[in-house]
Amino acid sequence: MLKQLSIFAENKRGAMNGITKVLKDNEIDIVTLVTNDSAEFGIVRLIVDNPEKAHSVMKDAGYLCRLDLVTAVEMKDEYGSLNNILDSITNAYLNIDYIYISFNRETAVPVAIMKSNDEDDLDSYLLGKGYIVL
């Protein structure tokens, strides 16, 4: 499992720049980033090289944030790969709260990053099915 930093941010000009500046100033490398927005606020989800430090410096900078455990599973770079993983998860009666796609920097292989309330079961299940879980 990986630790993901989630930051609650106001949806206004310069908000992302403020977040990335805090990370840059503290020499924290962003590995993956995805945002979800609403009219006034959004959630910025990041995988970084030092999640505990990132959490601490973002809180110190006044951001509402938290660390969550997520599952990151490598997937084949071919048609239907994500669907095959999700079919397998559905058949195991496990639930995914949200998902986004990134890639493994070392191998350039696509990676599905998933949040589930069943993290331990999800990791074990995917490993048992022969998937590479980061």
Side-chain angles (χ1 to χ4, degrees), residues 86-129:
L86 294 175
D87 276 348
S88 187
I89 291 169
T90 299
N91 291 335
Y93 299 100
L94 296 170
N95 185 53
I96 303 298
D97 296 329
Y98 59 82
I99 185 170
Y100 56 96
I101 305 298
S102 186
F103 72 98
N104 183 329
R105 285 184 178 181
E106 295 173 5
T107 63
V109 172
V111 175
I113 299 173
M114 300 176 250
K115 175 68 176 121
S116 172
N117 288 330
D118 305 314
E119 287 302 329
D120 291 331
D121 292 338
L122 180 60
D123 277 15
S124 297
Y125 178 77
L126 291 170
L127 285 168
K129 286 291 193 179

Side-chain angles (χ1 to χ4, degrees), residues 15-52:
M16 282 301 301
N17 184 237
I19 291 169
T20 59
K21 180 164 179 23
V22 172
L23 297 173
K24 176 188 169 205
D25 289 349
N26 288 278
E27 299 180 349
I28 296 169
D29 187 29
I30 299 170
V31 177
T32 296
L33 179 147
V34 66
T35 63
N36 302 75
D37 73 333
S38 65
E40 296 181 21
F41 291 93
I43 299 174
V44 180
R45 294 186 169 106
L46 306 107
I47 305 294
V48 296
D49 66 339
N50 190 334
E52 287 82 8

Side-chain angles (χ1 to χ4, degrees), residues 41-75:
F41 291 93
I43 299 174
V44 180
R45 294 186 169 106
L46 306 107
I47 305 294
V48 296
D49 66 339
N50 190 334
E52 287 82 8
K53 180 179 178 183
H55 182 249
S56 177
V57 300
M58 294 308 296
K59 281 181 67 175
D60 290 347
Y63 289 92
L64 179 61
C65 57
R66 70 175 193 216
L67 287 176
D68 293 302
L69 294 175
V70 293
T71 297
V73 58
E74 287 192 351
M75 46 192 267

